[in-house]
Amino acid sequence: EEKAKLERNIAQLEKDLEKSKAAHNDSSAAAQEERERQERHKKDLAEAKQKSDGLKKELAATKLSLDNVTEQLSETERKAAQDSSQITKLQSQLKELTSR
């Protein structure tokens, strides 16, 4: 009877050990999946940051280009105003000469 009791205890302990191993394996697999998910997330974040940095550089270059065009436009407008003033003077001189 004592031997049968010990055998039942051993069988129960072996059963518990198998359950524990299965739980450990499940836990290890879940942990591995989480590590892999975090690695993918980390990689995605790095790619997004790289894209963002590229877009920031592109935006800065576009802004610089726009500033240059704006400056050229201002210069063109200033020259146009000078030319207009010069034309008005010359027209006035021409009128004066033709009225003599």
Side-chain angles (χ1 to χ4, degrees):
E1 189 178 311
E2 189 68 29
K3 184 179 175 186
K5 189 176 181 184
L6 285 174
E7 287 174 349
R8 282 194 305 273
N9 281 345
I10 290 172
Q12 185 60 46
L13 287 172
E14 287 174 344
K15 196 172 166 184
D16 291 348
L17 179 61
E18 287 304 313
K19 282 184 187 176
S20 179
K21 284 180 182 178
H24 174 73
N25 288 343
D26 290 350
S27 177
S28 292
Q32 181 61 31
E33 285 175 18
E34 179 60 18
R35 280 192 294 276
E36 289 169 2
R37 188 194 67 77
Q38 287 180 359
E39 281 301 313
R40 285 191 306 272
H41 183 66
K42 191 175 175 182
K43 183 181 171 191
D44 290 347
L45 282 176
E47 288 174 4
K49 185 185 181 323
Q50 196 173 17
K51 253 185 206 175
S52 174
D53 291 348
L55 289 173
K56 283 178 186 174
K57 285 179 184 174
E58 212 175 295
L59 180 61
T62 301
K63 186 183 180 311
L64 182 62
S65 179
L66 179 59
D67 289 347
N68 288 340
V69 169
T70 301
E71 190 177 320
Q72 289 173 354
L73 179 59
S74 294
E75 182 64 20
T76 301
E77 288 172 341
R78 187 186 65 71
K79 284 181 181 174
Q82 280 180 341
D83 290 350
S84 178
S85 174
Q86 186 66 26
I87 289 170
T88 304
K89 277 185 193 173
L90 290 173
Q91 284 174 336
S92 178
Q93 288 174 356
L94 182 61
K95 214 182 225 181
E96 191 179 311
L97 287 172
T98 53
S99 67
R100 286 186 188 171

